């Protein structure tokens, strides 16, 4: 077996400098003012695919942000691996909570801090460097490669699903490889075998035709802020369960084997409590924290807005109120059914005298892996070679909405090998990538691009 260790060590300073260049591009997908940066992000990826040894690359326009496609064919009869990742990032705000500016990558204590450092630019970059490491050393990549790096993951992959189905022949593959998840603990490499789905909505409650003096009118009108509060309170019961009829009917029960697997993980509730910085952990009664995070669906308010929220006081009854509410879904819930049942329940909970409008934003289906597939063995071997310990199989509470669509479109399994560490601040101020994980991850992936071919050939 080839040893990529010394060449990676030699090239690492250059790899890091390149990654910093990528991280300087503020490719925030949700912000229309960043359209130029999104385009720069796409071009950067396409240029660096070529540098890594991918001969064909293309920046493909969509109705939203561009998709970068790369192709390297070795043989029509060889198996095909599709790499998926994203070059878009979440907004950086509140910027004043960052130690250094979010788009000026800085290294401190073995970590690289920047928006996108780990989610997902850093992890995409690890793949490009793993491919470059093999190809520049003349070590074969024995599979046909298709690379699909999109710019809309953080806004629900709006245009990717259609792109995949319209190009299903061109992108046909035997496995989909993704690094956009994390490790359970430092030094414990991980393969993610399940993701939650998501439904994201906005509830708007309208009352009087304009704001009113709270003395002149308070007591005689329906206050939309109070109405929204009672709707939100009514959506959950005292055991932390959603009160939407049928919500739990299709939730797959955790098996004894899965529960035993969870118990083997180095889980410490106190550390979790300290990580989130609350006096107590919350959630659905009757389940452990990991079950709540990975095997149970949620219903959470993500944002609230109504009335006077400035400094001091203003005696006013608001004319409207708004809440952003998300539900994280688990197998076998379906986003389309959940959103219908949610809307019906909200309308049922609304008191007379207000008008309720619900907007639907992105949605995505939950996903769970078939871990019997031989590519899981290839990943375990590659991770063990680089990290010196075999990987744990974990799930994630987060969502990558397109994963289920990949499996459905190509009838090919997805393999999720991720390198974010706990506490890495993805989506938050001071997001960081651990540079020793970056280094070992590149090595693991360089091995994986060989091993996966052997397993797929059977
Ligand atoms: N990299 C994450 C997915 C993830 C989240 C993995 C948490 C591991 C732990 C991904 O980029 C992401 O944030 N997805 C969004 C999807 C949403 C915007 C549709 C998410 O989960 O919030
Ligand atoms: Zn993300």
């Amino acid at each position: 077996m080839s040893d990529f260790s010394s060449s990676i060590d030699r090239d690492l300073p250059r790899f890091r400098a390149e990654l910093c260049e990528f991280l300087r591009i503020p490719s925030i997908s949700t912000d229309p003012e960043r359209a130029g940066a999104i385009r720069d992000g796409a071009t950067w990826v396409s240029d660096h695919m070529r540098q890594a040894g991918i001969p064909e690359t293309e920046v493909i326009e969509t109705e939203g942000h561009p998709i970068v496609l790369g192709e390297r064919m070795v043989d029509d009869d060889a198996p095909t691996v599709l790499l998926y990742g994203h070059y878009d990032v979440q907004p950086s705000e509140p910027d004043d909570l960052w130690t250094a500016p979010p788009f000026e990558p800085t290294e401190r204590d073995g970590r690289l801090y920047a928006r996108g450092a780990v989610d997902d630019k850093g992890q995409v970059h690890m793949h490009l460097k793993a491919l470059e490491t093999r190809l520049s050393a003349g070590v074969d990549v024995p599979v046909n490669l298709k690379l699909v790096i999109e710019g809309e993951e953080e806004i629900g992959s709006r245009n990717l699903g259609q792109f995949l189905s319209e190009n299903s022949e061109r992108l046909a593959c035997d496995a989909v490889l993704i690094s956009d998840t994390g490790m359970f603990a430092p030094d414990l490499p991980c393969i993610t075998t399940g993701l939650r789905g998501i439904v994201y909505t906005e509830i708007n409650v309208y009352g009087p035709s304009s704001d009113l003096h709270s003395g002149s009118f308070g007591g005689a009108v329906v206050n939309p802020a109070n109405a929204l509060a009672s709707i939100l309170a009514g959506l959950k019961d005292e055991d932390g369960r959603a009160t939407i009829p049928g919500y739990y009917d299709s939730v797959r029960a955790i098996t004894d084997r899965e529960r035993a697997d969870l118990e083997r993980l180095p889980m410490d509730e106190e550390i979790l409590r300290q990580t989130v910085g609350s006096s107590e952990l919350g959630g659905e009664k009757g389940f452990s924290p990991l079950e709540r995070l990975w095997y149970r669906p949620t219903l959470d308010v993500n944002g609230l807005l109504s009335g006077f929220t400035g400094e001091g006081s203003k005696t006013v009854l608001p004319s409207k109120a708004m809440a952003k509410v998300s539900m994280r879904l688990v197998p076998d819930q379906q986003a389309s059914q959940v959103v219908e049942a949610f809307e019906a329940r909200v309308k049922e909970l609304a008191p007379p005298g207000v008008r309720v409008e619900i907007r639907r934003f992105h949605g995505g289906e939950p996903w769970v892996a078939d871990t019997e597939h031989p590519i899981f063995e290839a990943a375990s071997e590659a991770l063990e070679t680089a990290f010196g310990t075999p990987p744990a199989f974990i799930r994630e509470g987060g969502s990558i909405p397109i994963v289920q669509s990949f499996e459905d479109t190509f009838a090919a399994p997805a393999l999720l090998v991720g390198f974010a560490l706990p506490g890495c601040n993805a989506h938050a101020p001071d997001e960081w990538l651990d540079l020793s994980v970056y280094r070992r991850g590149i090595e693991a992936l360089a091995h994986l691009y060989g091993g996966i071919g052997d397993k797929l050939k059977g």
Side-chain angles (χ1 to χ4, degrees):
M1 194 198 303
S2 309
D3 175 14
F4 303 108
S5 221
S6 50
S7 81
I8 294 174
D9 284 337
R10 182 196 63 216
D11 293 334
L12 205 59
R14 175 172 60 84
F15 290 176
R16 281 192 207 177
E18 266 176 38
L19 173 57
C20 287
E21 212 181 279
F22 193 14
L23 293 171
R24 277 188 205 106
I25 305 172
S27 45
I28 304 169
S29 48
T30 199
D31 183 353
E33 293 193 354
R34 301 292 193 169
I38 279 280
R39 199 148 290 279
D40 292 347
T43 311
W44 195 95
V45 171
S46 137
D47 290 349
H48 285 79
M49 277 183 186
R50 237 168 291 130
Q51 181 193 323
I54 307 299
E56 312 280 338
T57 72
E58 202 180 326
V59 174
I60 294 169
E61 297 301 326
T62 71
E63 277 177 26
H65 303 321
I67 296 166
V68 188
L69 192 63
E71 287 174 280
R72 181 177 186 274
M73 298 297 291
V74 286
D75 184 340
D76 283 346
D77 295 327
T80 300
V81 171
L82 187 153
L83 169 71
Y84 165 75
H86 62 98
Y87 66 85
D88 67 319
V89 298
Q90 289 270 335
S92 55
E93 60 199 6
D95 285 17
D96 55 330
L97 295 185
W98 286 75
T99 307
F103 296 104
E104 285 173 27
T106 42
E107 194 184 321
R108 296 193 296 277
D109 304 326
R111 296 171 172 179
L112 189 59
Y113 287 85
R115 169 57 83 237
V118 74
D119 183 9
D120 178 36
K121 287 175 173 171
Q123 301 200 55
V124 166
H125 196 245
M126 289 160 76
H127 280 269
L128 297 181
K129 295 304 105 177
L131 289 168
E132 181 184 314
T133 296
R134 281 189 84 92
L135 294 170
S136 65
V139 183
D140 191 26
V141 173
V143 291
N144 298 317
L145 289 171
K146 316 259 165 160
L147 285 69
V148 176
I149 311 297
E150 70 152 325
E152 298 190 304
E153 195 276 344
E154 300 290 7
I155 48 173
S157 301
R158 287 176 198 159
N159 293 291
L160 186 58
Q162 194 185 340
F163 176 77
L164 297 182
S165 42
E166 283 171 5
N167 293 275
S168 58
E169 263 176 50
R170 181 173 180 190
L171 297 175
C173 57
D174 302 290
V176 180
L177 186 52
I178 304 175
S179 293
D180 191 21
T181 48
M183 292 161 55
F184 194 79
D187 300 322
L188 179 59
C190 287
I191 297 174
T192 295
T193 64
L195 295 164
R196 288 196 287 195
I198 187 167
V199 161
Y200 199 105
T201 68
E202 182 183 290
I203 306 175
N204 287 284
V205 179
Y206 300 96
S209 56
S210 78
D211 288 3
L212 297 168
H213 191 292
S214 68
S216 310
F217 297 95
V221 295
V222 182
N223 178 334
N226 293 23
L228 177 59
S230 80
I231 293 170
L232 296 175
L235 283 169
K236 301 282 283 274
D237 68 15
E238 59 279 10
D239 292 332
R241 288 167 64 88
T243 62
I244 301 167
Y247 192 66
Y248 297 92
D249 288 0
S250 50
V251 170
R252 221 186 275 176
I254 182 167
T255 64
D256 291 341
R257 170 147 180 225
E258 286 167 333
R259 196 166 271 136
D261 284 346
L262 287 188
E263 273 157 23
R264 274 205 302 276
L265 287 170
M267 169 66 188
D268 184 328
E269 284 194 33
E270 179 52 21
I271 290 180
L272 177 61
R273 193 192 64 73
Q274 284 173 17
T275 306
V276 299
S278 293
S279 58
E280 263 193 59
L281 293 173
E284 191 183 350
K285 273 214 181 105
F287 297 92
S288 70
L290 280 185
E291 287 172 314
R292 292 176 194 168
L293 289 172
W294 295 351
Y295 289 87
R296 302 297 297 170
T298 66
L299 189 154
D300 274 301
V301 175
N302 291 220
L304 268 178
L305 193 67
S306 185
F308 178 67
T309 56
E311 175 62 23
S313 64
K314 177 188 179 194
T315 48
V316 68
L317 303 178
S319 60
K320 60 182 189 206
M322 184 275 278
K324 309 256 185 197
V325 177
S326 73
M327 284 149 276
R328 295 280 174 174
L329 311 181
V330 297
D332 297 307
Q333 290 180 298
Q334 278 180 9
S336 58
Q337 282 176 5
V338 166
V339 76
E340 295 286 340
F342 169 80
E343 289 192 5
R345 179 68 179 139
V346 169
K347 293 200 169 135
E348 185 178 80
L349 287 164
V354 292
R355 183 169 56 85
V356 173
E357 273 176 21
I358 300 163
R359 297 173 67 194
R360 301 177 181 183
F361 294 99
H362 47 66
E365 303 300 337
W367 167 81
V368 66
D370 167 14
T371 54
E372 298 301 314
H373 195 283
I375 54 174
F376 285 81
E377 241 174 87
S380 298
E381 289 167 12
L383 288 165
E384 183 165 4
T385 305
F387 285 83
T389 174
F393 283 26
I394 62 168
R395 289 201 188 190
E396 288 281 7
S399 312
I400 306 175
I402 205 68
V403 174
Q404 190 58 49
S405 314
F406 268 119
E407 288 203 344
D408 294 344
T409 309
F410 301 114
L415 174 63
L416 273 60
V417 179
F419 301 101
L421 287 188
C424 67
N425 293 328
H427 296 201
D430 281 349
E431 173 178 350
W432 53 267
L433 168 73
D434 181 291
L435 286 165
S436 71
V437 168
Y438 172 73
R439 146 95 190 58
R440 284 205 271 180
I442 294 172
E443 187 181 341
L445 295 173
H447 287 294
L448 180 56
Y449 277 106
I452 198 169
D454 298 337
K455 300 287 181 195
L456 284 170
K457 274 180 226 143

